[in-house]
Amino acid sequence: AQSVTQLDSHVSVSEGTPVLLRCNYSSSYSPSLFWYVQHPNKGLQLLLKYTSAATLVKGINGFEAEFKKSETSFHLTKPSAHMSDAAEYFCVVSLMNTGFQKLVFGTGTRLLVSP
Amino acid sequence: DGGITQSPKYLFRKEGQNVTLSCEQNLNHDAMYWYRQDPGQGLRLIYYSQIVNDFQKGDIAEGYSVSREKKESFPLTVTSAQKNPTAFYLCASSILGVNTEAFFGQGTRLTVV
């Protein structure tokens, strides 16, 4: 079965330092992968998606992720954290089931940014 | 503005009562979804619909019901059979097909006392 594992439940960084949020996937074929962000008590917003084109995917707000098939990873990075990046981040894999796209969510990583 | 509207934002109900959560979208999307979010568990799929008058159970459908009488609307009823209904509920929509972005509403926080 396809799934994603987010390796850290919480990540703390200082403003201006790099961000790394880790995600590993399991899949029997080349998956489609997404990163979504959720600010407190809000809905989710798409940051970026990988769909078997370029392995380095650029998203909104300076985030990017690299698909590494050999490591089955899709880690999310940002060179310099901003206070507004504090939120929960979800790694998501897309499954196709009888023509329907089902999204399977990781358990989330809460990013804390200190001044 | 195009988007998904969930109402109400906060909802309190007594144990044993049914309650209906509203979800409306004006994005002209065919597919709509309901997810439940609990701390530390990510999002879990309750029900989804790909077309009007048709819907399918997701991973945790027990104790919930839905309808899809209009393309724009996909209300969720939390019934008294749902053993642990207190949670954050998120509605989403997308176009049909692979690798498509899901657009989410702002969520409804349901508390059952």
Side-chain angles (χ1 to χ4, degrees):
Chain A
Q2 292 197 224
S3 66
V4 289
T5 301
Q6 292 185 246
L7 298 165
D8 307 292
S9 60
H10 294 80
V11 169
S12 295
V13 300
S14 299
E15 191 173 21
T17 64
V19 175
L20 170 64
L21 305 183
R22 298 182 294 164
C23 173
N24 285 105
Y25 69 90
S26 64
S27 174
S28 55
Y29 53 89
S30 185
S32 294
L33 294 159
F34 304 78
W35 276 99
Y36 281 82
V37 61
Q38 183 182 33
H39 288 92
N41 292 310
K42 300 289 188 186
L44 279 70
Q45 180 185 19
L46 180 69
L47 277 177
L48 50 82
K49 66 178 180 181
Y50 167 75
T51 57
S52 75
T55 56
L56 182 62
V57 183
K58 293 190 184 300
I60 62 172
N61 301 334
F63 284 94
E64 62 182 36
E66 187 171 8
F67 176 76
K68 292 187 176 180
K69 188 174 181 178
S70 61
E71 298 176 11
T72 61
S73 70
F74 190 57
H75 301 335
L76 182 70
T77 60
K78 183 174 180 177
S80 175
H82 192 273
M83 294 297 291
S84 61
D85 294 328
E88 187 143 24
Y89 292 79
F90 292 96
C91 184
V92 182
V93 65
S94 170
L95 312 179
M96 285 303 295
N97 180 18
T98 61
F100 163 69
Q101 176 184 240
K102 178 181 177 181
L103 300 180
V104 177
F105 287 77
T107 52
T109 298
R110 184 166 298 279
L111 177 64
L112 307 168
V113 183
S114 56
Chain B
D1 284 333
I4 301 179
T5 302
Q6 289 188 243
S7 61
K9 190 173 174 71
Y10 297 96
L11 190 54
F12 295 88
R13 278 295 180 268
K14 291 184 179 179
E15 196 170 332
Q17 289 182 334
N18 292 356
V19 60
T20 297
L21 283 59
S22 170
C23 177
E24 304 276 333
Q25 55 100 357
N26 61 4
L27 299 167
N28 200 32
H29 287 166
D30 287 302
M32 296 188 74
Y33 317 78
W34 275 105
Y35 291 91
R36 171 181 171 137
Q37 185 176 19
D38 296 283
Q41 293 196 44
L43 276 68
R44 293 180 290 167
L45 182 64
I46 305 172
Y47 267 97
Y48 64 94
S49 168
Q50 300 179 76
I51 195 170
V52 173
N53 293 323
D54 187 53
F55 46 83
Q56 306 295 327
K57 292 182 179 180
D59 299 318
I60 56 164
E62 186 175 351
Y64 300 97
S65 66
V66 293
S67 63
R68 187 89 185 272
E69 297 177 2
K70 299 186 300 182
K71 186 176 184 178
E72 303 79 17
S73 179
F74 192 42
L76 173 75
T77 297
V78 184
T79 75
S80 57
Q82 168 50 234
K83 291 181 171 45
N84 186 17
T86 294
F88 191 52
Y89 291 88
L90 287 158
C91 179
S93 71
S94 73
I95 61 174
L96 292 175
V98 298
N99 309 325
T100 59
E101 175 185 356
F103 291 80
F104 286 82
Q106 298 294 290
T108 293
R109 185 164 297 281
L110 172 64
T111 303
V112 175
V113 295

